[in-house]
Amino acid sequence: MILIDRHTRAGRGPFHATLRIKPAARIQLTDVRGELLDEYGDEFTRYTRSFYISNHTTAGYLDQRLAELLEHDGRGIQGYLQLFRELFPPGAGYVHDKMHLRTELSEEQRANEPENADSHLTFIGAGLRNSASYELGGAEPVWFVELDGVHLGGTRHRRTSVIAYDREEDFERKVIDVRASPQAIDAQNLRDPELGFLGTLEEMVERHGVAFGRFDVTLADGEDDAGLTVNEYETLLMNYDLREALRNPFRFMKQTGKDVRDVLRDPRTIPAKAINFAQFDAVQVMNQVIDRIGLRDSVVERVVNRAVALPVSHFLRMKRGFSLPVLDRSGDGTGEIGWGTYQSPILVQWKGSGKHTRALEVRLVRFV
């Protein structure tokens, strides 16, 4: 089921619409661009650029470059996702899924909370984004990628927004220093008010009066052994499961007793600081996975072959940047950062920086 709400009138500023999606399966692709083309035609296609926004932490978008590498093909994208679902299978002993440890939840919430650490790690590892910019001139699809649509507790109700516009105006660029974690492997919640990051962004929006736009946030040059993502900052997921995935991406596959277990090294032999896994292990394991799910000689295999020769940060497609939407939700011309309820920008590092701070480059643009 897909319902579309149009928020702006034709010809008045950027096109802004929200789609409400009720998935029919746990893993599902929805062509959001196709739905808008069918519904609005020229009203939508008259704009040359579009910005796709997910409010969720287990459903989002591929960036345009990766979508192009996978030829915008739904079956190819499903195959690509399957590789990460093999790496992070359901029921692999994730600490996030041990509900008796989730003290932030009430007893009723624990009874209904889905066990979905695998979906969070697939989202992060496969490089899915909370928002993505596209410039397309034909009938190419833009896929909303659902990783946890149906679970034992019921069916999700998803929201995704699209802003279409003609051009961007740069308003401000600045470098924000945030306190570096003293731990070698760590994930920091940039939404934490004590870090001052969020307050700085909100002040920039207010000062420039941007109603529709985007923040681009990237690690500054020289900030190595770190990445950025937007996901749920749940303590057990960040402090245990994500750390284990960074130490050894094949750890959870092994715990489910997959037939690749003889190829994998024992995770206990990997020091906490040894983040780069053996290239031999990566190639052997991924070859077996590709054969098992029938992706040999496909575009997905070519994408993966590029990845396994790189360090874990690249193999897991850990990004050096993310984008955040600025939206006029009230219709009065006042913009605000478009957060989902559980979304947080997260700074992940797999080796200490050796400094007291890490530098983030921030760019604010307005859509026109």
Side-chain angles (χ1 to χ4, degrees):
M1 179 179 69
I2 300 174
L3 300 174
I4 304 177
D5 298 325
R6 174 73 183 274
H7 302 301
T8 52
R9 296 180 183 177
R12 294 186 60 184
F15 174 99
H16 179 206
T18 295
L19 288 78
R20 304 170 190 271
I21 302 171
K22 186 177 181 181
R26 190 176 192 222
I27 311 297
Q28 178 175 302
L29 302 184
T30 301
D31 178 11
V32 169
R33 185 167 185 261
E35 295 289 339
L36 292 174
L37 288 173
D38 290 344
E39 183 76 15
Y40 296 109
D42 292 344
E43 283 188 57
F44 178 62
T45 58
R46 64 181 288 266
Y47 297 96
T48 58
R49 301 180 178 186
S50 51
F51 188 52
Y52 293 80
I53 304 159
S54 169
N55 295 335
H56 309 286
T57 57
T58 54
Y61 292 93
L62 300 175
D63 65 60
Q64 183 171 349
R65 181 174 176 273
L66 179 55
E68 288 171 347
L69 285 172
L70 295 170
E71 299 177 349
H72 298 284
D73 178 63
R75 288 175 298 178
I77 293 171
Q78 289 274 17
Y80 171 77
L81 294 173
Q82 183 63 29
L83 292 172
F84 292 91
R85 294 177 65 200
E86 292 276 338
L87 285 177
F88 307 120
Y94 305 102
V95 180
H96 172 78
D97 292 345
K98 297 179 179 179
M99 293 302 158
H100 65 283
L101 300 177
R102 298 284 297 277
T103 56
E104 83 281 7
L105 301 176
S106 67
E107 186 173 341
E108 181 181 356
Q109 288 174 321
R110 283 195 291 271
N112 296 306
E113 181 74 7
E115 297 181 358
N116 63 355
D118 60 304
S119 297
H120 287 287
L121 293 176
T122 295
F123 185 104
I124 295 170
L128 290 180
R129 294 177 176 267
N130 64 300
S131 56
S133 297
Y134 278 76
E135 290 188 55
L136 298 172
E140 301 94 333
V142 174
W143 299 103
F144 180 76
V145 180
E146 172 64 69
L147 299 176
D148 194 36
V150 177
H151 53 86
L152 291 177
T155 301
R156 303 280 192 182
H157 293 267
R158 301 301 204 182
R159 287 170 54 91
T160 181
S161 296
V162 180
I163 305 172
Y165 58 99
D166 287 320
R167 57 189 176 88
E168 300 175 358
E169 292 182 349
D170 262 32
F171 268 80
E172 186 175 354
R173 295 173 184 255
K174 70 184 307 178
V175 176
I176 301 176
D177 291 323
V178 297
R179 184 178 67 247
S181 172
Q183 301 184 55
I185 303 175
D186 203 7
Q188 293 174 270
N189 184 2
L190 297 178
R191 202 169 174 175
D192 182 349
E194 291 188 5
L195 292 178
F197 176 77
L198 176 58
T200 301
L201 299 191
E202 291 174 335
E203 190 274 332
M204 291 170 66
V205 172
E206 183 177 358
R207 183 169 68 252
H208 294 292
V210 174
F212 289 101
R214 184 187 70 238
F215 278 108
D216 294 324
V217 182
T218 58
L219 286 161
D221 290 344
E223 294 294 352
D224 300 324
D225 305 306
L228 294 166
T229 189
V230 175
N231 208 270
E232 178 183 5
Y233 192 89
E234 193 281 312
T235 303
L236 300 179
L237 180 69
M238 294 294 117
N239 289 345
Y240 293 93
D241 299 320
L242 180 58
R243 287 187 185 185
E244 290 302 320
L246 289 171
R247 288 190 176 102
N248 178 8
F250 305 116
R251 160 75 178 269
F252 297 110
M253 180 191 287
K254 180 176 181 179
Q255 287 188 202
T256 61
K258 297 282 186 179
D259 60 2
V260 297
R261 61 186 180 274
D262 293 332
V263 182
L264 300 178
R265 65 173 68 189
D266 187 334
R268 291 172 297 181
T269 68
I270 303 177
K273 64 181 180 180
I275 301 306
N276 292 347
F277 55 88
Q279 192 178 106
F280 173 80
D281 286 353
V283 172
Q284 293 295 316
V285 171
M286 295 316 296
N287 278 340
Q288 291 194 32
V289 171
I290 286 170
D291 284 337
R292 181 165 60 249
I293 62 180
L295 294 177
R296 185 64 65 192
D297 298 324
S298 72
V299 65
V300 178
E301 182 189 13
R302 294 195 294 274
V303 172
V304 172
N305 282 343
R306 295 184 187 182
V308 295
L310 299 171
V312 65
S313 59
H314 293 77
F315 177 66
L316 292 182
R317 299 199 64 82
M318 185 66 70
K319 303 181 292 292
R320 289 186 59 84
F322 58 76
S323 296
L324 296 174
V326 177
L327 301 174
D328 174 13
R329 286 174 162 166
S330 61
D332 63 359
T334 302
E336 60 182 90
I337 298 174
W339 299 108
T341 303
Y342 299 105
Q343 286 180 328
S344 290
I346 299 169
L347 170 60
V348 181
Q349 68 176 31
W350 44 92
K351 184 177 180 181
S353 68
K355 302 179 296 183
H356 295 297
T357 61
R358 282 193 180 272
L360 302 179
E361 296 179 349
V362 176
R363 171 180 177 241
L364 173 61
V365 301
R366 183 175 73 176
F367 298 151
V368 180

